[in-house]
Amino acid sequence: MTDQLILHEYGPSGNCYKIRLTAALLGIGLQRRTYDILRGETRTPEFLREVNANGRIPVLQIGTRFLPESNAAAFWLADRSALVPDDRFDRADMLRWMFWEQYNHEPNVATYRYWMAFVGADNLTELQKMQADGKRAAGDAALKLMDDELRQRDWLVGNTATLADICLYAYTHVAEEGGGFDLSRYPAVQRWLERVTLLPGYITITD
Amino acid sequence: MTDQLILHEYGPSGNCYKIRLTAALLGIGLQRRTYDILRGETRTPEFLREVNANGRIPVLQIGTRFLPESNAAAFWLADRSALVPDDRFDRADMLRWMFWEQYNHEPNVATYRYWMAFVGADNLTELQKMQADGKRAAGDAALKLMDDELRQRDWLVGNTATLADICLYAYTHVAEEGGGFDLSRYPAVQRWLERVTLLPGYITITD
């Protein structure tokens, strides 16, 4: 690998942590460049022009090219590694969990945590306040779906850890921050979270 | 390919059309099994147990296995075909657009269309009514981001059509249904939509 890798990120974001954890498990070095999303540092004209027109982190810079979307950046790092299954069905099933994460899990589990633990309940807009209960219910439904699956198997896809586990670990393991979710209700998820921490090369979200 | 392929679907859904269009472009035959989502036919105990615990269509059945999530099912069909780039960066960049589609485009462009053209403005919940303007604004931002990109290039990734174009075509080309979006504001998107219809094997959403 000759291109320099720079992760444009915000440390406490689970979406950014996914990429750091994937790189750590694969022994790939990343430089880190930090932006304060609470101060709008990813919405400046310069950021929109040079890093991501969508105004969001994480973005993985590969040499002079920029790759937004956390799960796509993690896929770039893991492509053709043991974290991406060789089997055609399993490879697609891994992506199934990753798309599900972005549609059903992150907008609920992660957004609720962000609102309550970072923005603060008192600072939410009226619309956000109205949406909060629904997001908590949908987040619990997502965690229950994972728990039902993980009662039957150690990993989400096949018999070993894949990118699906890494990407879903990121926001699941901090779901209790902000007080919205009680992981003791999901014992199979708790055992799976522990399993992820035992993977060689594992780093925490604050490492 | 020996496994029988059955698409569990609802015809007017863009997420289901993505899979049919991908299969048509690749010359792959699909059986279709239809559910009426407006009557809750994907939330029955039988559907949840046998097809998708997440209660959603589309689901691609491959022999006796079930693959939910539209973009994952399209990926399974297109894996190792010309619709998925060989180049490592381009392959991840294709997934970048597909994850962006599920996070930034579909929940706005598709949900607004569904609410207005299928559910009906008068039948929305109070919360949905409050969210509608925000979804329209976010949908316009997504269409503008695509337009900015497509002013510079014919296809979203590389120099040929990929799964990213197919997956984003699905809801973009029907964005005007329900009255929320005016595609004449996005001329580069309109030219790209036309380009997709010229791909060999193209089928419409009602075919």
Side-chain angles (χ1 to χ4, degrees):
Chain A
M1 191 177 306
T2 53
D3 283 323
Q4 188 176 41
L5 302 179
I6 301 171
L7 180 60
H8 298 264
E9 66 153 1
Y10 173 66
S13 156
N15 282 329
C16 300
Y17 172 52
K18 286 173 194 173
I19 299 171
R20 299 197 302 273
L21 179 54
T22 302
L25 294 175
L26 295 171
I28 299 171
L30 293 178
Q31 289 188 44
R32 298 168 61 174
R33 196 162 298 170
T34 295
Y35 302 81
D36 188 343
I37 55 175
L38 292 165
R39 296 177 58 184
E41 290 180 2
T42 64
R43 311 280 168 153
T44 64
E46 189 181 8
F47 184 93
L48 296 174
R49 189 176 62 243
E50 294 182 7
V51 183
N52 184 7
N54 197 31
R56 290 172 177 271
I57 44 88
V59 175
L60 181 62
Q61 183 179 348
I62 303 160
T64 58
R65 296 190 291 186
F66 294 86
L67 186 60
E69 298 298 321
S70 57
N71 290 354
F75 186 91
W76 186 88
L77 289 170
D79 201 358
R80 311 267 155 110
S81 81
L83 291 176
V84 175
D86 281 333
D87 176 78
R88 181 181 178 184
F89 183 87
D90 285 351
R91 195 162 47 245
D93 200 34
M94 177 196 81
L95 289 171
R96 179 268 286 226
W97 284 107
M98 293 164 67
F99 284 113
W100 178 82
E101 190 263 348
Q102 286 288 289
Y103 199 87
N104 284 90
H105 186 286
E106 203 268 9
N108 300 306
V109 175
T111 297
Y112 194 90
R113 165 191 180 245
Y114 181 70
W115 285 357
M116 297 305 172
F118 293 78
V119 178
D122 292 343
N123 301 319
L124 297 179
T125 66
E126 285 308 306
L127 181 56
Q128 287 170 336
K129 286 176 187 168
M130 284 187 64
Q131 290 176 283
D133 282 348
K135 286 197 178 282
R136 186 156 62 172
D140 268 315
L143 293 168
K144 180 176 186 313
L145 188 145
M146 290 175 69
D147 202 63
D148 289 344
E149 186 78 18
L150 290 165
R151 283 172 195 267
Q152 304 166 53
R153 49 199 307 142
D154 282 353
W155 304 101
L156 292 169
V157 178
N159 300 314
T160 59
T162 70
L163 218 45
D165 301 288
I166 308 311
C167 290
L168 273 156
Y169 176 82
Y171 281 112
T172 303
H173 91 296
V174 292
E176 293 185 333
E177 294 179 10
F181 304 102
D182 174 5
L183 291 177
S184 71
R185 295 173 57 193
Y186 309 107
V189 167
Q190 286 188 308
R191 289 192 297 273
W192 165 83
L193 291 173
E194 174 71 15
R195 222 169 276 139
V196 172
T197 67
L198 299 175
L199 293 172
Y202 173 83
I203 56 171
T204 72
I205 194 168
T206 53
D207 278 340
Chain B
M1 191 179 309
T2 52
D3 283 323
Q4 188 177 44
L5 301 179
I6 302 171
L7 180 60
H8 298 263
E9 65 153 3
Y10 173 65
S13 156
N15 282 329
C16 300
Y17 173 51
K18 288 173 194 174
I19 299 171
R20 297 197 304 271
L21 179 53
T22 302
L25 295 174
L26 295 171
I28 298 172
L30 292 179
Q31 289 188 44
R32 299 168 62 175
R33 195 162 301 168
T34 295
Y35 301 81
D36 188 341
I37 55 175
L38 293 165
R39 295 178 59 185
E41 290 180 359
T42 64
R43 312 278 168 153
T44 63
E46 189 180 11
F47 185 92
L48 296 174
R49 189 176 60 242
E50 294 181 8
V51 182
N52 184 7
N54 197 31
R56 289 173 177 272
I57 45 83
V59 175
L60 181 62
Q61 183 179 346
I62 303 160
T64 57
R65 297 189 291 186
F66 294 86
L67 187 60
E69 299 298 321
S70 57
N71 290 355
F75 187 92
W76 185 88
L77 289 170
D79 200 359
R80 312 266 156 109
S81 81
L83 291 176
V84 175
D86 282 331
D87 176 77
R88 180 181 177 185
F89 183 87
D90 285 353
R91 195 162 48 245
D93 201 33
M94 177 197 82
L95 289 172
R96 179 269 286 227
W97 284 106
M98 292 163 68
F99 283 113
W100 177 83
E101 190 262 347
Q102 285 290 288
Y103 199 88
N104 284 91
H105 186 285
E106 202 268 11
N108 300 306
V109 174
T111 297
Y112 194 91
R113 164 191 180 247
Y114 181 69
W115 286 357
M116 298 304 173
F118 292 77
V119 178
D122 294 341
N123 301 322
L124 297 179
T125 65
E126 285 309 306
L127 180 57
Q128 288 171 335
K129 285 176 186 167
M130 284 189 64
Q131 289 177 284
D133 283 349
K135 287 197 177 282
R136 185 155 64 173
D140 268 315
L143 294 168
K144 181 176 184 313
L145 189 146
M146 290 175 69
D147 202 64
D148 289 345
E149 187 79 17
L150 291 165
R151 284 172 195 267
Q152 305 165 54
R153 50 198 308 143
D154 283 354
W155 305 101
L156 292 169
V157 177
N159 300 313
T160 59
T162 70
L163 217 46
D165 301 289
I166 308 312
C167 290
L168 274 156
Y169 176 83
Y171 281 112
T172 303
H173 91 295
V174 292
E176 294 184 332
E177 293 179 9
F181 305 100
D182 175 6
L183 291 177
S184 71
R185 295 173 57 193
Y186 309 106
V189 167
Q190 287 187 307
R191 291 191 296 275
W192 165 84
L193 291 173
E194 174 70 15
R195 222 169 276 136
V196 173
T197 67
L198 299 175
L199 292 172
Y202 172 84
I203 56 171
T204 71
I205 195 168
T206 53
D207 277 341

